[in-house]
Amino acid sequence: MEAQIAQKNLTLRSSANAYANDIMSLFLQLNAELGLTVIIVTHDPTIAARCPRRIVMRDGQVFGDNTLRGVEVA
């Protein structure tokens, strides 16, 4: 399994909205076409909403995982 971890402050609410949208589209394309795992850490619900799987953590513990339990988390 290959994985890509990107460290960049991406937010769709920032002045770099077009840049963030392009990066997210690229990540989703790499995942869909190459099966590349992309790990995104964000506080932006707009970014999180575009991800097919969202794991929510609080105080270092997994609080929610929408793909394991079928529960939508944001």
Side-chain angles (χ1 to χ4, degrees):
M1 174 179 75
E2 290 187 44
Q4 176 64 48
I5 301 173
Q7 182 181 359
K8 177 64 181 159
N9 184 13
L10 290 178
T11 176
L12 293 179
R13 297 177 183 157
S14 72
S15 59
N17 185 328
Y19 170 76
N21 194 44
D22 289 347
I23 294 297
M24 279 301 300
S25 294
L26 177 61
F27 284 159
L28 294 171
Q29 180 180 359
L30 289 170
N31 174 258
E33 293 179 8
L34 303 178
L36 184 73
T37 298
V38 181
I39 300 169
I40 300 170
V41 179
T42 185
H43 295 278
D44 186 331
T46 308
I47 294 281
R50 293 188 63 189
C51 299
R53 180 177 185 184
R54 290 176 296 285
I55 299 172
V56 176
M57 297 189 74
R58 289 192 185 152
D59 300 324
Q61 301 293 318
V62 173
F63 181 76
D65 183 338
N66 71 323
T67 58
L68 293 179
R69 296 189 187 112
V71 176
E72 187 70 23
V73 293

